[in-house]
Amino acid sequence: MGFTFAYRLILVVAVASVLGISLANKDWGSPNSNYTGWGWGWGWGSSKSNHTGQGFNNHPLNETQGSKKIIVGGSENWHFGFNYSNWAVNNAPFYFNDTLVFKYDPPSNTTFPHSVYLFPDRWSYLNCDLKRAKMVANTTEGGGDGFEFVLKRWTPYYFACGERNGFHCKVGSMRFMVMPLFRWHY
């Protein structure tokens, strides 16, 4: 009987957490209000731009209902020397079925090669353990329209460049993580 209560409590907490996270981007203003940002904390309500090209205060929720194609790094694309962790924080939130587009030049005499690896967990990501990671895009797949990766599960996604035996990952710039959220339609 003790396990039954504990399992019910865990289920209630898990459902409440998912619902709370999913409703975090809900517009609580009146229907005639232009206010769509909370104006506090972690970039929300800031003047920084998100992946729609608008600041969070100008982020009408009815325009974010569908899935988006988001170019990783924005106009910087996927290259060495850019901080993708900061980019991910400044462009959050990401949602289920959003598509991350990794654009990078194929290897040549003037460019370093890049790839995209997906790590199975935070530990592998923090240690840039490529033996446990899966290559999802090789050095040539980022050319042209880029390599597309759809966020299909409610799980953290840990990405990094695996070239130069993980050097691009290890110096900390060519890696980032995202956690897609539920998108509620009202």
Side-chain angles (χ1 to χ4, degrees), residues 9-55:
L9 181 61
I10 290 171
L11 180 63
V12 167
V13 169
V15 168
S17 297
V18 168
L19 186 60
I21 290 171
S22 299
L23 291 176
N25 200 27
K26 183 179 183 331
D27 185 2
W28 294 100
S30 68
N32 297 325
S33 172
N34 287 330
Y35 183 78
T36 60
W38 290 97
W40 53 269
W42 201 58
W44 305 104
S46 71
S47 62
K48 293 185 177 180
S49 179
N50 62 12
H51 59 266
T52 62
Q54 301 172 333

Side-chain angles (χ1 to χ4, degrees), residues 46-150:
S46 71
S47 62
K48 293 185 177 180
S49 179
N50 62 12
H51 59 266
T52 62
Q54 301 172 333
F56 283 104
N57 278 340
N58 302 321
H59 188 56
L61 296 174
N62 61 354
E63 291 181 14
T64 62
Q65 297 291 326
S67 59
K68 302 272 186 199
K69 279 194 177 183
I70 304 153
I71 298 173
V72 174
S75 63
E76 293 288 327
N77 293 332
W78 186 239
H79 70 85
F80 186 74
F82 183 79
N83 190 321
Y84 292 93
S85 293
N86 285 345
W87 171 85
V89 167
N90 291 331
N91 286 276
F94 299 92
Y95 294 98
F96 282 112
N97 294 320
D98 279 352
T99 302
L100 299 179
V101 181
F102 293 83
K103 290 186 172 187
Y104 48 93
D105 294 327
S108 70
N109 291 336
T110 59
T111 62
F112 290 113
H114 299 297
S115 57
V116 181
Y117 278 75
L118 181 64
F119 292 89
D121 54 53
R122 182 172 171 82
W123 180 254
S124 299
Y125 167 75
L126 291 175
N127 291 297
C128 296
D129 185 359
L130 294 174
K131 289 176 271 178
R132 299 195 58 214
K134 176 184 178 185
M135 180 189 283
V136 292
N138 66 30
T139 58
T140 61
E141 290 179 271
D145 292 333
F147 166 74
E148 296 185 357
F149 186 93
V150 180

